[in-house]
Amino acid sequence: MTNPIHDTLFAPLAGQPRPFLTLADGTQITAGEFHDQLARYGHALRACGLEPGDRVAVQASKSPRMLALYGAAMATGIVFLPLNTAYTPDELEYFVTDCCARLLLVDPERGTALAPLAGRHGIRLESLGAGGSFDALAANQPHRIDPAARADTDLAALLYTSGTTGRSKGAMLSQRNLLSNAETLVDLWRFTEKDVLLHALPIFHTHGLFVATNVILRAGAQMVFMPKFDIDQVFEAMGRATAMMGVPTFYTRLLEDPRLSRDTVGHMRLFISGSAPLLAETHQQWSARTGHDILERYGMTETNMLTSNPYDGARRPGTVGFPLPGVSLRITDADSGRELPQGQTGMIEVKGPNVFQGYWQMPEKTAEEFRADGYFMTGDLGVIDAQGYVTIVGRAKDLIISGGYNVYPKEVELLLDEMPGLRESAVIGLPHPDLGEAVVAVLAVQGDGPDEGQIMAELAAKLARFKQPKAFIRLPELPRNTMGKVQKAELRKTYAAYFTQTAA
Ligand code: MLC
Ligand code: AMP
């Protein structure tokens, strides 16, 4: 019987006394203890009636339990669907119904609030955490588990990505998609059992879950596992860790702190950045302060990691490095699909074992984003230089990346446009010193229109906090081109210095 992800990533933990997770308070969880928990959770998933291929949706705080649940889903062949803890019940409802989740796991304190939603759709609801109902169910289960047989092409996880128009799409990631990428990254970034990763990212996205965790599991290494990015805890952990993976906001926040020095990073061998553009200036300041060149890489939910700056060799500021071994990357004319010569800017298209299987129950959407020869259109615009380094120069998709979280303007605009007194809206991303880009709503208002407090109250009921505008700009009319299309590029240009000139 084989189960590639369980056999390769999780089975080697069983019975091992070596440390696997160190928590912020210093508590250590050994590899063996972690695997025991994974096994008990796996039995509990089965006791809830789930079978291989069924979906378990989880909206729970970051904890070793949540990570063990990921392992349990892999062992039992149950498809893992982690959800941002910031999502409102409205947002959650879409995901769990779209994927026909059999089971929804939430923090114990959220159980009561989400019971009506689960009841409406006949989804079993359990709580994960100390005193939670799922933990009670798992408590007396065996601490060994026979993994379910899984093929390379079987679905391992579903991660939802918002769409530029309309509905969010569930990216289907197979066993092979995840495992092949982890194996490539371990080799490329030289992870070994001696490494200790400083893990301060959330674990409901590709970066913190698949890149960080799978790499550590594959290398037989360990993590300092923090509930979130807390600057004091990060400085403290750098004395014990060897590597950190972060979004650019981690690096800009650390740079603002006078404690950052060659000494404080003396134990570290590698700093990796991704999920959003790292300014060349941040890269250079980091090198000057710490003596380390940040290794920037590029990826997507749909594709896992695609490119990386080299471990040995120049890590070029402002670039995302070379295509990973096994990944084919080309630059095309977005309309015709024709490959462009080196040095010209166009759509980044990719192919490889890391590229997802398609969008859950959306064959037409899937077909639209793949070329006939199997290349996936990323929606990112890039250029390759004479040495082969890829630079991302923009996005063809209308997307804001705020502190590493994606916000699709359309989703916010649809809600704003429904509000009485608001004629129309354009939601844009403006440069922000902490978040990279911040969400701003430009509004064309009727009369005085609703005030910001009223708008925010309406949005808060429906939208996760990170998607809500950080500022509003009111105009009599939105600028349009001769075709009548709102000129977002013009707005971004006009207000480019909004957060740097006014207090952010
Ligand atoms: C938190 N807030 C955000 C925000 N994060 N607002 C906009 N954008 C964000 N990213 C809100 C909070 O709710 C809070 O609201 C206020 O902003 C200030 O919060 P904070 O305490 O300063 O934020 P913090 O908790 O420190 O979080 C900031 C952060 C976090 C950058 C550390 O957002 C983070 O961990 N981001 C990582 C995202 C990530 O993992 N992305 C990977 C995607 S995978 P209030 O109520 O106080 O106003 C992917 C593929 C790939 O992209 O290539 O990796
Ligand atoms: P997500 O859908 O959350 O996986 O976000 C994927 C998107 O993040 C990509 O399509 C890119 O636009 C962006 N991204 C990821 N890494 C980088 C990077 N290093 N530089 C610039 N953009 C990045």
Side-chain angles (χ1 to χ4, degrees), residues 201-202 205-207 228-229 247 249-250 253 274-275 297-301 305 402-405 435 465-466 470:
L201 288 161
H205 278 313
T206 296
H207 197 163
K228 59 178 293 224
F229 181 86
V247 294
T249 301
F250 284 19
R253 286 189 184 179
S275 306
R297 61 44 174 197
Y298 155 60
M300 281 182 83
T301 301
M305 297 304 99
S402 165
Y405 286 144
L435 298 168
R465 183 83 187 92
F466 70 88
K470 299 278 186 219

Short mmCIF file of all heavy atoms in Angstrom, two decimals, residues 201-202 205-207 228-229 247 249-250 253 274-275 297-301 305 402-405 435 465-466 470, ligand 1:
data_model
loop_
_atom_site.label_atom_id
_atom_site.label_comp_id
_atom_site.label_asym_id
_atom_site.label_seq_id
_atom_site.Cartn_x
_atom_site.Cartn_y
_atom_site.Cartn_z
N LEU A 201 4.53 32.21 9.61
CA LEU A 201 3.49 32.43 8.59
C LEU A 201 2.21 31.71 8.98
O LEU A 201 2.26 30.71 9.72
CB LEU A 201 3.97 31.86 7.25
CG LEU A 201 5.07 32.61 6.52
CD1 LEU A 201 5.75 31.70 5.50
CD2 LEU A 201 4.50 33.85 5.83
N PRO A 202 1.07 32.14 8.44
CA PRO A 202 -0.14 31.35 8.64
C PRO A 202 -0.03 30.00 7.91
O PRO A 202 0.75 29.88 6.96
CB PRO A 202 -1.24 32.22 8.02
CG PRO A 202 -0.56 33.18 7.12
CD PRO A 202 0.83 33.36 7.62
N HIS A 205 -2.26 28.81 3.81
CA HIS A 205 -1.88 29.15 2.44
C HIS A 205 -0.68 28.31 2.03
O HIS A 205 0.05 27.78 2.87
CB HIS A 205 -1.46 30.62 2.35
CG HIS A 205 -2.61 31.56 2.23
ND1 HIS A 205 -3.64 31.37 1.36
CD2 HIS A 205 -2.87 32.73 2.86
CE1 HIS A 205 -4.50 32.37 1.46
NE2 HIS A 205 -4.06 33.20 2.37
N THR A 206 -0.43 28.33 0.73
CA THR A 206 0.69 27.60 0.15
C THR A 206 2.02 27.88 0.84
O THR A 206 2.79 26.96 1.12
CB THR A 206 0.81 27.99 -1.35
OG1 THR A 206 -0.40 27.55 -1.97
CG2 THR A 206 2.00 27.39 -2.02
N HIS A 207 2.29 29.16 1.13
CA HIS A 207 3.61 29.53 1.65
C HIS A 207 3.90 28.83 3.00
O HIS A 207 4.89 28.11 3.13
CB HIS A 207 3.68 31.06 1.79
CG HIS A 207 5.07 31.60 1.92
ND1 HIS A 207 5.36 32.92 1.72
CD2 HIS A 207 6.24 31.02 2.23
CE1 HIS A 207 6.66 33.12 1.90
NE2 HIS A 207 7.21 31.97 2.22
N LYS A 228 1.88 33.50 15.13
CA LYS A 228 1.83 34.52 14.08
C LYS A 228 3.15 35.29 14.09
O LYS A 228 4.03 35.00 14.91
CB LYS A 228 0.65 35.48 14.30
CG LYS A 228 0.71 36.21 15.64
CD LYS A 228 -0.44 37.18 15.81
CE LYS A 228 -0.37 38.32 14.86
NZ LYS A 228 -0.64 39.64 15.38
N PHE A 229 3.27 36.28 13.22
CA PHE A 229 4.48 37.08 13.20
C PHE A 229 4.44 38.07 14.37
O PHE A 229 3.65 39.01 14.37
CB PHE A 229 4.60 37.84 11.87
CG PHE A 229 5.85 38.67 11.79
CD1 PHE A 229 7.04 38.13 11.37
CD2 PHE A 229 5.82 40.02 12.17
CE1 PHE A 229 8.20 38.89 11.30
CE2 PHE A 229 6.98 40.78 12.10
CZ PHE A 229 8.16 40.22 11.68
N VAL A 247 7.01 36.79 4.13
CA VAL A 247 6.55 37.72 3.10
C VAL A 247 7.35 39.01 3.28
O VAL A 247 7.96 39.22 4.35
CB VAL A 247 5.02 37.97 3.22
CG1 VAL A 247 4.25 36.70 2.91
CG2 VAL A 247 4.62 38.49 4.60
N THR A 249 6.67 41.95 4.11
CA THR A 249 6.36 42.72 5.33
C THR A 249 7.20 42.25 6.53
O THR A 249 7.58 43.06 7.37
CB THR A 249 4.84 42.61 5.64
OG1 THR A 249 4.12 43.10 4.52
CG2 THR A 249 4.45 43.37 6.88
N PHE A 250 7.51 40.95 6.60
CA PHE A 250 8.37 40.48 7.70
C PHE A 250 9.70 41.25 7.65
O PHE A 250 10.23 41.69 8.67
CB PHE A 250 8.72 38.99 7.54
CG PHE A 250 7.63 38.00 7.89
CD1 PHE A 250 6.30 38.37 7.95
CD2 PHE A 250 7.96 36.67 8.16
CE1 PHE A 250 5.32 37.44 8.25
CE2 PHE A 250 6.99 35.74 8.47
CZ PHE A 250 5.66 36.12 8.52
N ARG A 253 9.42 45.07 8.44
CA ARG A 253 9.21 45.30 9.89
C ARG A 253 10.50 45.03 10.67
O ARG A 253 10.84 45.78 11.59
CB ARG A 253 8.10 44.38 10.42
CG ARG A 253 6.73 44.84 9.97
CD ARG A 253 5.63 44.07 10.68
NE ARG A 253 4.33 44.47 10.16
CZ ARG A 253 3.18 43.97 10.56
NH1 ARG A 253 3.15 43.04 11.50
NH2 ARG A 253 2.04 44.39 10.05
N GLY A 274 8.89 35.63 -0.34
CA GLY A 274 8.00 35.37 -1.47
C GLY A 274 6.58 35.76 -1.15
O GLY A 274 6.30 36.30 -0.10
N SER A 275 5.70 35.49 -2.08
CA SER A 275 4.24 35.77 -2.04
C SER A 275 3.89 37.17 -2.50
O SER A 275 2.72 37.45 -2.76
CB SER A 275 3.62 35.55 -0.65
OG SER A 275 3.89 34.29 -0.14
N ARG A 297 11.94 34.11 -4.06
CA ARG A 297 11.38 33.11 -4.98
C ARG A 297 9.96 33.52 -5.35
O ARG A 297 9.38 34.42 -4.72
CB ARG A 297 11.48 31.71 -4.37
CG ARG A 297 10.76 31.42 -3.04
CD ARG A 297 9.44 31.93 -2.96
NE ARG A 297 8.57 31.67 -1.89
CZ ARG A 297 7.24 31.89 -2.01
NH1 ARG A 297 6.73 32.36 -3.11
NH2 ARG A 297 6.45 31.69 -1.01
N TYR A 298 9.39 32.85 -6.34
CA TYR A 298 8.05 33.22 -6.84
C TYR A 298 7.20 31.98 -7.01
O TYR A 298 7.69 30.94 -7.45
CB TYR A 298 8.25 33.96 -8.17
CG TYR A 298 7.12 33.93 -9.17
CD1 TYR A 298 5.86 34.45 -8.85
CD2 TYR A 298 7.32 33.41 -10.45
CE1 TYR A 298 4.84 34.45 -9.81
CE2 TYR A 298 6.31 33.42 -11.41
CZ TYR A 298 5.06 33.93 -11.07
OH TYR A 298 4.06 33.93 -12.00
N GLY A 299 5.94 32.09 -6.60
CA GLY A 299 5.04 30.95 -6.76
C GLY A 299 3.60 31.40 -6.76
O GLY A 299 3.30 32.60 -6.75
N MET A 300 2.72 30.43 -6.76
CA MET A 300 1.27 30.68 -6.76
C MET A 300 0.56 29.51 -6.10
O MET A 300 1.09 28.39 -6.14
CB MET A 300 0.73 30.70 -8.19
CG MET A 300 0.94 31.92 -8.98
SD MET A 300 0.18 31.74 -10.61
CE MET A 300 -1.52 32.17 -10.27
N THR A 301 -0.62 29.74 -5.62
CA THR A 301 -1.42 28.65 -5.08
C THR A 301 -1.58 27.53 -6.10
O THR A 301 -1.46 26.34 -5.77
CB THR A 301 -2.82 29.19 -4.69
OG1 THR A 301 -2.63 30.23 -3.74
CG2 THR A 301 -3.70 28.12 -4.12
N MET A 305 5.77 26.42 -5.99
CA MET A 305 6.86 27.35 -6.34
C MET A 305 7.31 27.15 -7.78
O MET A 305 7.35 26.03 -8.29
CB MET A 305 8.04 27.16 -5.38
CG MET A 305 7.67 27.50 -3.96
SD MET A 305 6.99 29.19 -3.78
CE MET A 305 5.23 28.89 -3.75
N SER A 402 -1.69 42.43 -0.40
CA SER A 402 -1.52 43.25 0.80
C SER A 402 -0.90 42.38 1.90
O SER A 402 -1.55 41.43 2.37
CB SER A 402 -2.91 43.76 1.22
OG SER A 402 -2.87 44.27 2.52
N GLY A 403 0.32 42.69 2.27
CA GLY A 403 0.99 41.89 3.31
C GLY A 403 1.01 40.41 2.96
O GLY A 403 1.00 39.56 3.85
N GLY A 404 1.03 40.08 1.67
CA GLY A 404 1.09 38.68 1.24
C GLY A 404 -0.27 38.04 1.06
O GLY A 404 -0.36 36.90 0.61
N TYR A 405 -1.35 38.75 1.39
CA TYR A 405 -2.69 38.22 1.16
C TYR A 405 -3.25 38.80 -0.14
O TYR A 405 -3.13 40.02 -0.36
CB TYR A 405 -3.65 38.60 2.29
CG TYR A 405 -3.45 37.86 3.58
CD1 TYR A 405 -3.63 38.50 4.80
CD2 TYR A 405 -3.10 36.52 3.59
CE1 TYR A 405 -3.46 37.82 6.00
CE2 TYR A 405 -2.93 35.83 4.79
CZ TYR A 405 -3.10 36.49 5.98
OH TYR A 405 -2.94 35.81 7.15
N LEU A 435 2.64 47.14 4.24
CA LEU A 435 1.95 46.01 3.59
C LEU A 435 2.35 45.82 2.13
O LEU A 435 1.86 44.91 1.47
CB LEU A 435 0.44 46.22 3.69
CG LEU A 435 -0.13 46.26 5.12
CD1 LEU A 435 -1.56 46.77 5.12
CD2 LEU A 435 -0.04 44.89 5.77
N ARG A 465 -11.22 41.12 7.32
CA ARG A 465 -10.60 42.41 7.65
C ARG A 465 -9.52 42.82 6.66
O ARG A 465 -9.42 43.98 6.29
CB ARG A 465 -10.02 42.30 9.07
CG ARG A 465 -9.40 43.55 9.60
CD ARG A 465 -10.44 44.49 10.19
NE ARG A 465 -9.83 45.77 10.54
CZ ARG A 465 -9.79 46.82 9.72
NH1 ARG A 465 -10.31 46.76 8.51
NH2 ARG A 465 -9.21 47.93 10.10
N PHE A 466 -8.70 41.86 6.23
CA PHE A 466 -7.57 42.24 5.37
C PHE A 466 -8.04 42.70 3.98
O PHE A 466 -7.28 43.32 3.25
CB PHE A 466 -6.55 41.10 5.26
CG PHE A 466 -7.01 39.89 4.49
CD1 PHE A 466 -6.84 39.81 3.12
CD2 PHE A 466 -7.63 38.82 5.14
CE1 PHE A 466 -7.26 38.70 2.41
CE2 PHE A 466 -8.07 37.71 4.44
CZ PHE A 466 -7.89 37.65 3.07
N LYS A 470 -8.23 50.32 3.49
CA LYS A 470 -7.51 51.05 4.55
C LYS A 470 -7.76 52.55 4.39
O LYS A 470 -7.41 53.33 5.26
CB LYS A 470 -6.01 50.78 4.46
CG LYS A 470 -5.61 49.32 4.64
CD LYS A 470 -5.52 48.89 6.09
CE LYS A 470 -4.99 47.47 6.23
NZ LYS A 470 -5.63 46.68 7.26
C1 MLC B 1 -3.53 41.79 9.04
N1 MLC B 1 -4.28 42.83 8.67
C2 MLC B 1 -4.08 43.08 7.37
C3 MLC B 1 -3.16 42.11 6.95
N2 MLC B 1 -2.84 41.32 7.99
N3 MLC B 1 -4.59 44.01 6.55
C4 MLC B 1 -4.19 43.99 5.28
N4 MLC B 1 -3.31 43.08 4.80
C5 MLC B 1 -2.78 42.12 5.60
N5 MLC B 1 -1.93 41.22 5.12
C6 MLC B 1 -5.18 43.66 9.46
C7 MLC B 1 -5.43 43.12 10.82
O1 MLC B 1 -6.65 42.40 10.79
C8 MLC B 1 -5.50 44.36 11.69
O2 MLC B 1 -6.75 44.93 11.59
C9 MLC B 1 -4.57 45.31 11.03
O3 MLC B 1 -4.50 44.88 9.66
C10 MLC B 1 -3.19 45.34 11.62
O4 MLC B 1 -2.79 44.05 11.94
P1 MLC B 1 -1.32 43.66 12.37
O5 MLC B 1 -1.37 43.15 13.77
O6 MLC B 1 -0.35 44.72 12.04
O7 MLC B 1 -1.11 42.51 11.38
P2 MLC B 1 -0.39 41.20 11.63
O8 MLC B 1 -1.25 40.28 12.38
O9 MLC B 1 0.96 41.52 12.18
O10 MLC B 1 -0.29 40.63 10.16
C11 MLC B 1 0.48 41.22 9.17
C12 MLC B 1 1.25 40.08 8.46
C13 MLC B 1 0.20 38.99 8.08
C14 MLC B 1 1.90 40.65 7.24
C15 MLC B 1 2.27 39.51 9.40
O11 MLC B 1 -0.78 39.56 7.25
C16 MLC B 1 0.81 37.79 7.46
O12 MLC B 1 1.28 36.88 8.15
N6 MLC B 1 0.82 37.72 6.12
C17 MLC B 1 1.32 36.56 5.40
C18 MLC B 1 0.36 36.15 4.35
C19 MLC B 1 0.79 34.83 3.66
O13 MLC B 1 1.18 33.90 4.28
N7 MLC B 1 0.70 34.81 2.35
C20 MLC B 1 1.07 33.66 1.56
C21 MLC B 1 0.03 33.39 0.50
S1 MLC B 1 0.57 32.01 -0.51
P3 MLC B 1 -7.30 45.99 12.64
O14 MLC B 1 -8.63 45.44 12.97
O15 MLC B 1 -6.38 46.06 13.78
O16 MLC B 1 -7.34 47.26 11.84
C22 MLC B 1 1.14 32.74 -1.94
C23 MLC B 1 1.93 31.90 -2.87
C24 MLC B 1 3.37 32.19 -2.69
O17 MLC B 1 1.01 33.89 -2.12
O18 MLC B 1 4.08 32.51 -3.64
O19 MLC B 1 3.79 32.11 -1.54
#
